[in-house]
Structures are given as structure tokens and as C-alpha cells.
Amino acid sequence: MKNLGFIGMGNMAQALAIGFIRSGRISKENVFAFAPNQDKLKANAEKIGFTPKASVTELVEAADTIIMACKPYQIESVLKCIGDKLRGKALISIAAGWNYQKYLNYLNSDVRFQFVMPNTPAMVGEGVLLFESTNSLEANERHEIMELFSTTGFVQEIDSSLMGIAGTVTGCGPAFVDIMIEAYADAAVKYGVKRSDAYKLVSQMILGSAKLQLETGEHPAILKDNVCSPAGTTIRGVTALEENGFRNACIKSIDVIMK
Ligand SMILES: NC(=O)c1ccc[n+]([C@@H]2O[C@H](COP(=O)([O-])OP(=O)(O)OC[C@H]3O[C@@H](n4cnc5c(N)ncnc54)[C@H](OP(=O)(O)O)[C@@H]3O)[C@@H](O)[C@H]2O)c1
């Protein structure tokens, strides 16, 4: 990959562009983007360092690897606009639902393709970047692109049949964790902690708990047991969570999406 082009420069594209350029894996002179609102695009270009392009066709001509980062419902018309110009190039799509199988209906066979599902924590370099197993990138090209995406978080290849569930847990999960942050902060405020302190304490507690699990590789139940002393306070809280169906509520929050 020499030149990278973003179609769309919204929240997710900005998170990726910032991570890619900041890492030094690609220089800002080799990153281009197009979005319809040119004033907004130029303002983002000044902030992030990429070169703005005036049309989607100019963008595709300038890049050998293109990231489709507009909204899913806009893709069909964008592809029509590009026509044959993607031939011989690599297309990485981050649009929800637009996987390898779906693109087969729209792309020439000489367009190399990869579907990647990011999530919002990529904005702070702590995302989950799911790479669909079915793809048509060259092996070394895919490796290079995975390395590039890893500058914004944890990269994981996922079987095509599991992209839906994995993307649901990692993509919707941040909203569910945000509710948990709010709820525990409310509890802290209820007993006298300042609200501004409460969010910081709870978010850091969740960040630390996740990091402890990731770094030790311990089963979460063991980490939970380690905090629950006999007849202690934590086991009383665990009992209350179980009585109120916490575990079931988490599973159901995914069931309603997967149905
Ligand atoms: N945000 C997430 O959590 C998340 C997670 C996983 C995947 N994704 C995927 O990432 C993609 C972008 O999401 P987002 O949250 O970044 O959306 P967003 O902030 O609304 O950005 C959409 C971008 O697309 C541009 N755009 C609109 N019409 C276009 C066109 N005809 N041609 C080219 N660009 C066009 C917009 O430009 P203007 O502002 O100039 O109109 C904007 O820069 C979506 O497909 C979404 O499914 C998002």
C-alpha cells in the first residue's frame, strides 16, 4: 500500500486516520479523503493532516487502497459514481452489513476486498477491529493493513459466519457499558460522591478490571472470586446482581439484536 483514500470522513474515519497517521506507519502525505461537505473536510484535513479531494473519483484515482467509510445506505450510489475506477485496487469497507458476500454483487473480480468492523473506542486507540475471514486481499497486503488498523486497537480475524454476533457485542457493547458507568456513578452520587468524581472512579474501575482480565488471562469468575471474601460485602453485591437478573439482562441485550 502506498496511498490510502477515505470515502467519507466522519467519526469513524477520523478515528482511523488519526491513529494511522500518529503511528507513523503511513505518512500524512499519503492519506487522502473525500466527503461532500468540503468545508468540514478541509477543517478536518488541517487538524489531522490528510489531503482533501474534491470528488470521489479524484479520491479513488489518488489512492491504491480505499476505505469505504460513509454510511451503509450511501454505498450503492457511491459505487455507481466510481464505476470501473476501483479495478486493480484494494477496497476496505467498514460499513455495517456490507460484508464480502454483499460486495460480490457490486465489484469487479479484480478489486481486492476486505470487510472490517471497528467500534467507537478506536477513537482512543482501544478499539476492537474485526477482520472478516473471507476476503480477497493479497496475504502480505492484508498483513500490512491489519498492522495499520492495530494502531487503533485490537485486531482479530473472525469467521464470516460470526461477524454478525462479534460485531454486535463489540459494536453495541460500548453503549451497554456506558449505561453501567452511569448506573454505578449514580449509586456513588446517591451516597455522597461528587458526580464529576463518580464518572472518573467508575470508568477507571471498569478500564482496570478489563485490563486485569486481559493481562492475566484469568477466567472472569476467578477474578470475581478473588474479590469476594466469605461473608464479605462484595458477595452481597453479587447476590443482588444475580437476584436482579444482571447476567440474563446482558445476554438478552444481544438476543434482541440477533433475532
Ligand atoms: N460509528 C461507529 O461506531 C461505527 C462502528 C462500526 C462501523 N461503522 C461504520 O462506519 C461508517 C461511518 O460511520 P460514522 O459513524 O463515521 O458516520 P458519520 O460520522 O456520519 O460519517 C459519514 C461520512 O460519510 C460522508 N458521506 C456522506 N455522503 C457521502 C457520499 N455520497 N460520498 C462519500 N462520503 C459521504 C459524510 O460526509 P459529510 O459530513 O460531508 O456529509 C461523513 O464524512 C458507517 O458505514 C458505519 O456503519 C461505524
Side-chain angles (χ1 to χ4, degrees):
M1 173 186 39
K2 243 181 106 193
N3 294 313
L4 183 67
F6 285 89
I7 299 178
M9 193 32 79
N11 295 321
M12 195 45 72
Q14 286 173 48
L16 297 175
I18 289 169
F20 296 170
I21 292 171
R22 197 179 280 163
S23 72
R25 280 186 187 273
I26 188 158
S27 99
K28 60 183 180 2
E29 288 75 25
N30 297 108
V31 181
F32 303 88
F34 164 75
N37 183 333
Q38 290 277 300
D39 290 341
K40 204 162 78 182
L41 183 70
K42 282 176 192 152
N44 281 322
E46 270 178 34
K47 200 173 67 188
I48 300 170
F50 61 80
T51 303
K53 289 285 178 189
S55 72
V56 73
T57 45
E58 265 185 57
L59 182 274
V60 174
E61 279 161 8
D64 51 81
T65 303
I66 288 109
I67 300 190
M68 185 69 84
C70 56
K71 291 288 190 191
Y73 69 89
Q74 295 159 338
I75 291 180
E76 237 178 299
S77 68
V78 170
L79 287 175
K80 267 195 198 127
C81 212
I82 300 173
D84 269 357
K85 291 194 161 52
L86 277 174
R87 294 188 90 135
K89 301 189 185 242
L91 178 67
I92 317 298
S93 180
I94 63 165
W98 278 78
N99 59 10
Y100 184 85
Q101 192 62 36
K102 183 152 185 176
Y103 267 99
L104 274 186
N105 303 318
Y106 296 89
L107 296 181
N108 286 307
S109 57
D110 58 355
V111 179
R112 303 183 304 283
F113 178 79
Q114 172 71 63
F115 172 42
V116 179
M117 197 60 194
N119 66 356
T120 49
M123 291 174 189
V124 291
E126 295 292 347
V128 177
L129 296 305
L130 303 173
F131 273 63
E132 183 182 15
S133 58
T134 314
N135 71 93
S136 51
L137 296 181
E138 287 161 7
N140 54 355
E141 174 181 50
R142 189 169 193 243
H143 179 73
E144 191 189 0
I145 288 167
M146 280 177 150
E147 294 270 292
L148 189 62
F149 273 82
S150 74
T151 61
T152 62
F154 172 70
V155 167
Q156 176 75 51
E157 182 180 271
I158 291 285
D159 191 87
S160 296
S161 65
L162 297 175
M163 280 298 282
I165 173 60
T168 299
V169 172
T170 57
C172 305
F176 307 153
V177 173
D178 289 335
I179 291 176
M180 204 160 110
I181 293 171
E182 236 195 313
Y184 275 109
D186 279 348
V189 169
K190 184 175 176 185
Y191 290 95
V193 177
K194 266 200 327 215
R195 186 157 287 278
S196 55
D197 287 343
Y199 292 132
K200 285 184 214 152
L201 298 182
V202 175
S203 291
Q204 177 60 37
M205 176 274 289
I206 290 175
L207 180 71
S209 305
K211 198 167 176 189
L212 186 64
Q213 197 287 319
L214 281 171
E215 288 191 4
T216 60
E218 281 287 17
H219 192 294
I222 293 178
L223 295 172
K224 181 262 290 170
D225 287 356
N226 290 344
V227 189
C228 291
S229 39
T233 50
T234 312
I235 194 67
R236 297 215 301 266
V238 169
T239 310
L241 282 179
E242 296 294 1
E243 275 171 4
N244 287 284
F246 179 71
R247 201 181 288 260
N248 187 47
C250 292
I251 296 169
K252 285 289 188 306
S253 71
I254 302 299
D255 282 348
V256 289
I257 302 167
M258 296 303 293
K259 269 204 272 205

